[in-house]
Amino acid sequence: SVRLVEAGGGSVHAGGSLRLSCVASAFPYKRNYLAWFRQRPGKEREPVVALEIDGDDDRIMWTGSLRGRFTISQDRAENTVYLLMNNLKPDDTAIYYCALSAGNSGLTFWEGAYADWGQGTQVTISS
C-alpha cells in the first residue's frame, strides 16, 4: 500500500489561509488519482477536490462551493500535493484527509475508489 502523510493543519482566524500538504510514499499506479476529503464536526466525510497526478488542468474536479477559495497544486519531484486554502471560514473547520486511487474508477469522489488514506490533519478556524 501507499503511505500518505498530511501536514499543514492548524488554527487560524477567519479570513486566514493554510496550505496543507499530502506527501505520498509513491505514485505506483499506471494512473494515480489523489483526492482531498474533509470531515466537519458532526458531519459525514465529504469531498473537497480530486485530481489526476501528472494530469492536465482539466483533470481536476472540485466540490463547487470551495473552488475559488481553495487551489490545488502538485510537486511531482517531491510526490506532494498541496491544498492552499484562502479566506477560511469557521465552517471549514474539519479534519482534512488525502487519499489515493489506482484510477479504476477514473476521476471520482466515490470513497470506495480510494484504497490509500492518510491519517488526517486538523484545521480549526475561529471567528
Side-chain angles (χ1 to χ4, degrees):
S1 64
V2 176
R3 184 166 182 252
L4 300 171
V5 179
E6 302 98 335
S11 297
V12 298
H13 291 293
S17 298
L18 284 172
R19 188 179 75 160
L20 306 184
S21 62
C22 173
V23 181
S25 59
F27 291 125
Y29 310 118
K30 183 177 180 179
R31 301 186 78 167
N32 300 272
Y33 294 85
L34 189 137
W36 285 94
F37 294 83
R38 70 181 185 181
Q39 187 163 20
R40 293 183 283 178
K43 297 187 177 181
E44 294 187 353
R45 191 160 55 191
E46 60 185 359
V48 175
V49 61
L51 83 163
E52 180 177 3
I53 299 298
D54 292 332
D56 296 330
D57 288 345
D58 62 352
R59 299 299 291 166
I60 300 174
M61 181 168 65
W62 286 96
T63 294
S65 62
L66 296 176
R67 185 174 187 171
R69 292 195 297 122
F70 292 9
T71 58
I72 193 166
S73 62
Q74 52 183 305
D75 182 340
R76 193 61 180 89
E78 299 292 331
N79 281 358
T80 301
V81 175
Y82 297 99
L83 180 66
L84 175 61
M85 308 184 295
N86 294 317
N87 191 22
L88 284 160
K89 303 175 181 181
D91 198 42
D92 294 317
T93 294
I95 300 173
Y96 286 73
Y97 301 90
C98 63
L100 187 67
S101 166
N104 296 328
S105 299
L107 191 62
T108 181
F109 283 151
W110 176 51
E111 290 193 19
Y114 293 88
D116 305 300
W117 289 79
Q119 82 288 350
T121 186
Q122 175 71 48
V123 170
T124 302
I125 312 303
S126 58
S127 58

